[in-house]
Amino acid sequence: QLESSVFGICIIQIKPALERLLNLPDGALTKEIKLTQDLMSLFIDYQIPSDLLSFDGSKDETLMEKVDFVKKYVEAVMDVIENEKKKQLAEEKDKREMKEQMYP
């Protein structure tokens, strides 16, 4: 039965694609493991558009300055998400407490 089956593997390198997407030079994310993980989380889990996170400064900036710009954008978006999570958690806690008071 396997004779007529076709099996293929496709390898997509994520970091070079992220670097192009974020307007960063090649190799910019090589040692930036946490930043890469945060970016993937923002793109996949939260569906944040890339234009909110991409480098949009001068091409004369150094590699580290470009990466720092992206890091700051990522931190800002992550802070917004974290604050929203805390807000939602507090609202749910308040709702639960109100229900407990109403129906002891």
Side-chain angles (χ1 to χ4, degrees), residues 13-16 18-19 24-37 39 63-64 67 71:
Q13 294 183 342
I14 299 296
K15 286 186 182 182
L18 278 176
E19 290 165 349
L24 295 173
D26 293 339
L29 296 176
T30 301
K31 295 183 180 180
E32 300 291 339
I33 297 169
K34 182 177 181 346
L35 177 59
T36 303
Q37 290 175 339
L39 286 165
L63 172 69
M64 290 308 297
V67 172
K71 278 184 184 179

Side-chain angles (χ1 to χ4, degrees), residues 7-8 11 28 31 33 44 46-47 55 57 64 79 82 86:
F7 181 74
I11 298 174
K31 295 183 180 180
I33 297 169
I44 295 170
Y46 299 105
Q47 311 233 335
F55 173 73
M64 290 308 297
D79 287 345
E82 192 63 33
K86 288 178 183 177

Side-chain angles (χ1 to χ4, degrees), residues 4 20 28 43 45 64 70 75 79 88 95 104:
S4 62
R20 271 184 252 118
F43 290 141
D45 298 335
M64 290 308 297
V70 173
E75 288 174 8
D79 287 345
Q88 288 177 357
K95 285 180 187 178

Side-chain angles (χ1 to χ4, degrees), residues 46 76-88:
Y46 299 105
V77 173
M78 294 292 270
D79 287 345
V80 169
I81 291 171
E82 192 63 33
N83 288 337
E84 281 300 311
K85 283 182 179 181
K86 288 178 183 177
K87 182 179 167 185
Q88 288 177 357

